[in-house]
Amino acid sequence: MTRGTTEEEKRVDGHVGGAVDLETLGRAVKEAQYRHHRALDTRLAAVGTTLAQWDALRAIGRSPGASAHELAVATFQGDQSFGTLAGRLAAQHLVERRPGHGRRIEHHLTEAGERTLEAGRAVAVEVLATSFAPLDEDERVTLLGLLRRLGVDGGALS
């Protein structure tokens, strides 16, 4: 005798009443992000950096001369957290902090910072290629488009 599928079993599978369970969908996105972060942090240690540091270097490389606030926003951090991180990067001679207009402090990569950024980029490409290998190119394009749409249209969450 077989029994029917319970609502909890459907929720675990990701479907409730024929629709995708939004909690399950949200958790799946978080799981993918968590796996990326763990793999990147582990692999970036081999090139002498962390994911947070490499992400900051990447943001500075994209926007040389940016302020700490601009970089905090770009790296999904608070101003104080980014300031602490930038101080550590400067102490490691990966970043130069220069006076800008008014009280603005501008951030620039040093040669060592450029090398660390490039070493980290090679790691990231390898990790992400492995992670997204189950998807074909069309699926990757679709996923990127959907995530970008959520990023733009999902701004009303705050």
Side-chain angles (χ1 to χ4, degrees):
M1 179 172 156
T2 61
R3 58 185 180 93
T5 307
T6 67
E7 286 302 307
E8 183 58 31
E9 289 168 328
K10 289 178 187 175
R11 184 176 303 279
V12 169
D13 184 41
H15 297 85
V16 176
V20 171
D21 177 63
L22 295 179
E23 286 181 35
T24 303
L25 177 60
R27 183 165 175 79
V29 170
K30 184 70 174 174
E31 286 174 14
Q33 179 188 31
Y34 178 73
R35 282 193 312 274
H36 288 157
H37 284 194
R38 284 199 47 193
L40 285 167
D41 237 354
T42 299
R43 298 282 306 282
L44 286 168
V47 297
T49 193
T50 67
L51 178 56
Q53 290 173 343
W54 180 74
D55 193 39
L57 294 174
R58 185 171 55 168
I60 295 166
R62 284 187 191 140
S63 302
S67 70
H69 175 73
E70 293 163 337
L71 294 166
V73 170
T75 57
F76 309 101
Q77 296 187 46
D79 290 352
Q80 186 173 3
S81 295
F82 187 85
T84 301
L85 176 58
R88 285 195 307 264
L89 293 171
Q92 295 172 15
H93 308 290
L94 300 173
V95 169
E96 287 182 356
R97 298 166 93 184
R98 302 177 196 156
H101 182 70
R103 295 177 29 175
R104 179 184 175 100
I105 301 294
E106 296 180 347
H107 296 76
H108 299 270
L109 295 179
T110 64
E111 286 183 28
E114 297 262 1
R115 285 192 302 272
T116 302
L117 175 61
E118 287 309 310
R121 187 166 281 130
V123 167
V125 165
E126 201 174 293
V127 166
L128 296 173
T130 300
S131 178
F132 290 114
L135 303 179
D136 66 30
E137 192 60 26
D138 287 342
E139 291 170 322
R140 292 177 191 187
V141 168
T142 299
L143 177 60
L144 178 59
L146 292 170
L147 290 171
R148 282 192 171 153
R149 195 164 88 201
L150 287 175
V152 172
D153 297 343
L157 294 175
S158 42

